[in-house]
């Protein structure tokens, strides 16, 4: 089976439309690649598509409210049956237009030739609440010193950071506004292959409000994103740089996915991927309430993989142990090779990540490691990841930071 790899797309777009979307290819991978140009969305629609539930975060009145459909929007009990409540692409676009925004970013960097170089970027976002909470992709705003949001009516706002989560590529920002039109969250669990999928976003950073349509091509594609395994929806709706943070809606105008990847290989078209909204909702709520994903387990290590000769198997090593974190307290050391995680053989970094993600903070798990030609089993009590702390370390190819996992 051909291996699929996804690489970060910074979505940087300069005045000449020369967007840099290069990433170093993972050693040993095939020619096919996927590039992040996703679309983060959250939402649905307000005032159509049936009954909605207003979900108040943190309790009490005057708090942030997210809207979610409580109407069963499946296409009938039988596949292929006609759904009388389905909307046309035009109707969905009209209903959701005011809930999708354009995002422009500025990042300041230094180099030997220009002491302060300003890099611009672009993406999309979806309004979550009437009082200005907006969801987008982490990679759209990561490293930005300034984020500007432009709404459908042409008004521009400076945005504040609320919370980001690199693991799921989600982020929430906030603008000072009132009576905005929030999107309504649908249920990605109700989707079937062949259902209509409508993407709305800001391709190329210049074409805000662009609508493309297609279908749901697959429901649970396991895709490797920067050595992190993600289970995504696959869609044939056209996705381009700048769509990141925009929405993937169903034919009831409800948000069902957050587009975060598209095909980038030669002669490849019609391959787009989105984070299912059912998975994204909990992350979004945590970011609004806490600024990070509460309870996410942390091992506190940096891992590195080395390919083995004539085999798809990788040897996974601990490249760094964070002082005072779970791995350090348990006695794991730099240079240890991880053979098993919770009794299961480890053949890639993704195997370790999946084992950790199956737990919550405070859980115990076991690692079988090889150290100086001696096999050891070490028990670790997982800590809680603090994703409010920005990762500042530099990681090599085929390396993933687990301090924020």
């Amino acid at each position: 089976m051909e291996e699929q790899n996804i690489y970060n797309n910074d979505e940087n777009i300069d005045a000449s439309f020369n967007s840099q979307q290069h990433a170093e290819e993972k050693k040993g991978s095939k020619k096919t690649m996927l590039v992040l140009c996703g679309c983060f969305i959250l939402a649905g629609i307000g005032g159509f598509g049936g009954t909605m539930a207003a979900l108040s975060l943190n309790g009490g009145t005057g708090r942030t409210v997210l809207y979610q459909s409580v109407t069963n929007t499946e296409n009938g009990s039988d596949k292929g049956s006609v759904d009388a409540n389905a909307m046309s692409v035009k109707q969905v676009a009209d209903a959701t237009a005011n809930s999708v925004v354009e995002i422009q970013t500025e990042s300041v960097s230094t180099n030997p030739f220009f002491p302060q170089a300003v890099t611009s970027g672009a993406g999309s976002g979806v309004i979550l609440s009437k009082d200005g909470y907006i969801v987008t992709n982490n990679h759209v705003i990561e490293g930005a010193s300034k984020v500007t949001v432009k709404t459908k009516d042409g008004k521009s706002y400076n945005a504040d950071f609320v919370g980001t989560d690199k693991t799921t590529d989600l982020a929430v920002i906030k603008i000072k506004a009132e009576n905005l039109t929030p999107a309504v969250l649908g249920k990605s669990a109700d989707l079937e292959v062949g259902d209509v999928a409508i993407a709305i976003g800001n391709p190329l950073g210049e074409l805000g409000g662009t609508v493309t349509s297609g279908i749901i091509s697959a429901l649970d594609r396991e895709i490797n994103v920067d050595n992190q395994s993600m289970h995504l929806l696959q869609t044939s709706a056209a996705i381009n740089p700048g769509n990141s943070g925009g929405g993937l809606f169903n034919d009831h105008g409800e948000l069902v996915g957050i587009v975060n990847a598209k095909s980038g290989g030669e002669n490849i078209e019609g391959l787009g991927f989105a984070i299912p909204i059912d998975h994204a909702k909990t992350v979004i709520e945590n970011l609004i309430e806490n600024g990070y994903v509460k309870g996410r387990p942390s091992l506190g290590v940096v891992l590195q993989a080395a390919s083995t000769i004539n085999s798809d198997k990788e040897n996974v090593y601990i490249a760094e142990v964070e002082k005072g974190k779970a791995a350090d307290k348990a006695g794991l050391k730099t240079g240890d090779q991880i053979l098993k995680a919770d009794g299961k053989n480890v053949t890639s970094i993704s195997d370790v990540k999946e084992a950790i993600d199956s737990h919550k903070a405070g859980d115990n798990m076991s690692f079988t490691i090889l150290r100086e030609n001696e096999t050891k089993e070490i028990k670790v009590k997982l800590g809680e990841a603090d994703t409010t702390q920005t990762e500042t370390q530099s990681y090599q190819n085929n390396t993933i930071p687990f301090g924020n996992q």
Side-chain angles (χ1 to χ4, degrees):
M1 180 179 292
E2 186 175 25
E3 182 179 355
Q4 290 179 304
N5 297 290
I6 295 180
Y7 299 87
N8 281 340
N9 172 8
D10 293 329
E11 305 268 322
N12 293 326
I13 302 176
D14 60 21
S16 302
F17 295 90
N18 291 321
S19 176
Q20 296 296 327
Q21 300 179 347
H22 300 289
E24 190 173 352
E25 184 177 1
K26 180 180 178 181
K27 183 178 180 181
S29 67
K30 302 298 177 67
K31 293 182 179 179
T32 301
M33 73 175 182
L34 303 171
V35 288
L36 281 180
C37 71
C39 124
F40 177 53
I41 295 191
L42 197 164
I45 307 201
F48 59 89
T51 306
M52 296 177 297
L55 308 176
S56 179
L57 299 183
N58 298 321
T61 58
R63 296 290 187 176
T64 301
V65 174
L66 304 183
Y67 294 88
Q68 180 159 4
S69 171
V70 295
T71 300
N72 185 349
T73 57
E74 291 180 297
N75 294 334
S77 58
D78 298 322
K79 288 187 177 181
S81 61
V82 176
D83 183 358
N85 296 318
M87 302 164 64
S88 67
V89 173
K90 182 181 184 303
Q91 288 174 320
V92 172
D94 289 343
T96 60
N98 290 328
S99 300
V100 181
V101 301
E102 302 173 36
I103 294 177
Q104 301 289 332
T105 65
E106 291 183 5
S107 303
V108 178
S109 59
T110 59
N111 59 64
F113 303 101
F114 302 98
Q116 284 194 335
V118 178
T119 303
S120 62
S124 309
V126 176
I127 297 171
L128 300 174
S129 66
K130 291 183 178 181
D131 59 347
Y133 282 95
I134 294 168
V135 65
T136 186
N137 282 141
N138 173 71
H139 78 266
V140 169
I141 65 170
E142 187 175 26
S145 56
K146 180 179 180 181
V147 176
T148 304
V149 170
K150 183 178 180 181
T151 52
K152 180 66 174 178
D153 59 9
K155 295 181 180 179
S156 293
Y157 303 85
N158 291 327
D160 295 321
F161 293 89
V162 175
T164 63
D165 185 52
K166 192 169 186 177
T167 299
T168 56
D169 194 25
L170 300 179
V172 175
I173 57 178
K174 175 90 166 54
I175 61 174
K176 294 180 180 179
E178 297 180 352
N179 298 318
L180 297 174
T181 304
V184 175
L185 309 184
K187 297 179 180 179
S188 53
D190 289 344
L191 293 173
E192 295 182 348
V193 172
D195 283 351
V196 172
I198 300 163
I200 303 178
N202 181 30
L204 304 183
E206 297 287 338
L207 304 174
T210 293
V211 178
T212 58
S213 64
I215 62 170
I216 298 296
S217 305
L219 298 174
D220 189 27
R221 292 294 193 199
E222 184 175 0
I223 303 297
N224 194 305
V225 184
D226 283 347
N227 286 323
Q228 298 195 61
S229 178
M230 300 183 72
H231 291 265
L232 305 173
L233 301 171
Q234 182 180 331
T235 179
S236 63
I239 305 298
N240 290 284
N243 273 113
S244 296
L248 188 70
F249 298 90
N250 63 14
D251 58 5
H252 289 259
E254 301 162 346
L255 184 102
V256 293
I258 295 139
V259 182
N260 72 324
K262 70 156 287 184
S263 62
E266 185 178 356
N267 298 323
I268 298 175
E269 199 52 67
L271 291 176
F273 298 91
I275 305 165
I277 196 62
D278 293 355
H279 298 170
K281 180 174 173 289
T282 300
V283 174
I284 292 164
E285 290 173 341
N286 267 269
L287 294 180
I288 293 176
E289 291 182 30
N290 310 307
Y292 70 103
V293 180
K294 192 173 183 179
R296 175 171 287 156
S298 169
L299 180 58
V301 299
V302 175
L303 299 181
Q304 185 167 10
S307 299
T308 57
I309 299 175
N310 299 324
S311 174
D312 293 333
K313 181 179 180 293
E314 293 179 328
N315 291 332
V316 179
Y317 299 90
I318 296 178
E320 182 179 334
V321 176
E322 295 186 58
K323 187 176 181 179
K325 300 295 185 178
D328 183 36
K329 292 178 180 178
L332 289 172
K333 296 182 178 181
T334 298
D336 287 347
Q337 180 184 347
I338 299 179
L339 303 177
K340 294 182 179 181
D342 280 342
K344 296 182 179 179
N345 291 333
V346 169
T347 61
S348 68
I349 287 177
S350 293
D351 290 340
V352 182
K353 177 186 180 298
E354 289 177 6
I356 295 171
D357 287 347
S358 68
H359 292 276
K360 61 181 182 295
D363 284 354
N364 293 309
M365 65 180 300
S366 64
F367 290 92
T368 302
I369 58 100
L370 181 64
R371 179 188 300 165
E372 296 177 351
N373 295 319
E374 183 180 353
T375 301
K376 298 176 179 290
E377 183 171 346
I378 296 179
K379 302 289 186 181
V380 180
K381 183 177 181 179
L382 297 171
E384 181 178 7
D386 182 3
T387 55
T388 61
Q389 300 299 317
T390 302
E391 189 64 44
T392 58
Q393 300 177 51
S394 177
Y395 299 98
Q396 301 174 10
N397 245 4
N398 301 335
T399 307
I400 181 173
F402 274 80
N404 285 338
Q405 296 302 314

